[in-house]
Amino acid sequence: IDFVDRFNPDYVVILSGDHIYKMDYSAMVEYHEKHGASCTIAVRSVPLAEASRFGILNTNPDNTIYEFEEKPAHPKSTNASMGIYCFTWSVLRDALLFDEDDPNSANDFGKNIIPMLLTSGHKLMAYPFDGYWKDVGTIDSLWEANMELLARNSALPSSYIDTKAVISDSFVAEGCEVYGKVKHSVISVGCTIGEGAQIEDAVVMPGVVIESGAIVRHAILGEDSKVCKNAIVGGAYADGEKKKISVTSKGAVVEANTVLKPGDML
C-alpha cells in the first residue's frame, strides 16, 4: 500500500492471471469514473450450469450491484465476475487496511472486500463484457480453450514436417519436428513428434518430446515433458462420452511401454 501511495493514483485496476481474453482496460476505467463507483467489476454471462464455479453478481437494471455471491450452490443470476476490478484507490486502501486488521478475514476480494463494500453502502457497478473470455483455472477449461482455437481459420506456422507425417485440424508452432500423426491438437514451439506417434485431441506445451510409436489422446503434456517409445497417454472416447483429461507436469517422463490412464496426472 505504501508503494502505491507514492504514485497517488485515482484508480487501481486488479487483474486475474488464469483467464484468456482481450479487453481495453481504459474503457472500463472510463465507465467506472462516469458512474462514480467505488468499485467496478467486469462481468460476463455464463451458462447457468457453470455459474456455481464463479463469483456471481446480482444487479439492478442500471448495472449497479446489490449482491455478490462467491461460488453459490444455487446462483440467482448468470453474471459471473471475471476477476477484473477497477477500484477508486482511496476506497480500496481503506478497505484493505480494515480487512488486514480483521483476524477472521480470509483476505479475499470475493469473500471479504466486495461484500464489505456492499454492506458499507458503497456504489458497485457491473461492467458487461461480451468478447471472448475463458477461465482456465481447471484442467478441463485449459484443454477446452486450446481446442477452441482449432475452429478458427489459420495457416500452420512453419516447422519441419516429414513426408510421412499426417497433420489435420491442428496448430503446429514454429521450431517443431513432426514425423508422426497429429489430429485436432495444439502443438507448441520446439516439440518433437516421432515416427509412428499418434497425437489426437491434445494440448502439447513447449519443448515436449513424443517418441516413436507413442500414443497421446485427450491430454495436456507439460513443458519439456517426454513420452517415451510406445507409451500410451490418455484414451479414446465415443461421441457424447464424458472425457477425462490426462496430464503430465513440467519435465515429467512417461517411460517406454507404460500407460498413463485417462484422467491420471504425472
Side-chain angles (χ1 to χ4, degrees):
I1 290 176
D2 290 340
F3 174 79
V4 180
D5 260 342
R6 297 175 195 174
F7 299 96
N8 192 28
D10 292 321
Y11 309 112
V12 174
V13 177
I14 298 176
L15 311 174
S16 291
D18 58 353
H19 300 155
I20 299 172
Y21 66 98
K22 183 177 181 180
M23 176 187 286
D24 180 357
Y25 301 124
S26 65
M28 182 177 177
V29 173
E30 289 176 4
Y31 179 93
H32 174 85
E33 185 176 27
K34 174 183 176 181
H35 290 88
S38 294
C39 174
T40 297
I41 304 174
V43 301
R44 193 175 190 281
S45 181
V46 297
L48 183 60
E50 298 180 14
S52 60
R53 289 178 46 210
F54 303 94
I56 296 297
L57 304 170
N58 299 317
T59 61
N60 298 307
D62 63 353
N63 286 331
T64 54
I65 301 168
Y66 66 84
E67 186 178 27
F68 183 92
E69 298 179 286
E70 179 68 8
K71 299 181 180 179
H74 304 287
K76 299 174 184 176
S77 76
T78 58
N79 294 325
S81 168
M82 295 173 62
I84 300 171
Y85 309 104
C86 179
F87 284 94
T88 296
W89 168 236
S90 58
V91 173
L92 176 61
R93 187 181 191 280
D94 290 346
L96 290 176
L97 290 171
F98 183 85
D99 184 73
E100 184 64 21
D101 289 337
D102 182 0
N104 298 316
S105 175
N107 302 128
D108 183 87
F109 279 104
K111 294 177 181 178
N112 305 109
I113 301 296
I114 302 303
M116 177 174 62
L117 292 179
L118 284 170
T119 301
S120 301
H122 283 275
K123 184 178 182 180
L124 274 66
M125 295 295 301
Y127 178 72
F129 178 77
D130 59 2
Y132 179 83
W133 176 74
K134 190 76 172 182
D135 183 329
V136 291
T138 66
I139 294 297
D140 285 347
S141 61
L142 175 60
W143 181 83
E144 289 168 2
N146 280 271
M147 292 297 103
E148 287 171 0
L149 292 174
L150 302 176
R152 305 187 179 191
N153 296 324
S154 178
L156 295 176
S158 60
S159 283
Y160 175 73
I161 310 298
D162 189 75
T163 56
K164 297 179 182 178
V166 178
I167 299 176
S168 60
D169 300 322
S170 298
F171 277 126
V172 178
E174 295 181 354
C176 292
E177 295 184 22
V178 181
Y179 302 88
K181 182 177 180 180
V182 179
K183 181 179 179 181
H184 200 255
S185 295
V186 176
I187 311 298
S188 302
V189 296
C191 294
T192 301
I193 299 172
E195 185 174 346
Q198 299 180 47
I199 316 301
E200 184 174 355
D201 292 325
V203 178
V204 181
M205 298 297 184
V208 170
V209 174
I210 302 171
E211 294 187 343
S212 60
I215 297 175
V216 178
R217 294 191 178 103
H218 292 97
I220 299 175
L221 303 183
E223 184 177 356
D224 294 327
S225 61
K226 184 176 183 180
V227 181
C228 297
K229 290 184 178 181
N230 302 315
I232 297 175
V233 176
Y237 296 88
D239 290 342
E241 185 179 357
K242 172 65 176 177
K243 299 177 178 64
K244 297 180 180 179
I245 312 301
S246 304
V247 180
T248 64
S249 61
K250 182 177 180 179
V253 177
V254 182
E255 299 292 346
N257 303 301
T258 61
V259 175
L260 186 65
K261 295 183 295 184
D264 281 359
M265 303 181 69
L266 175 65

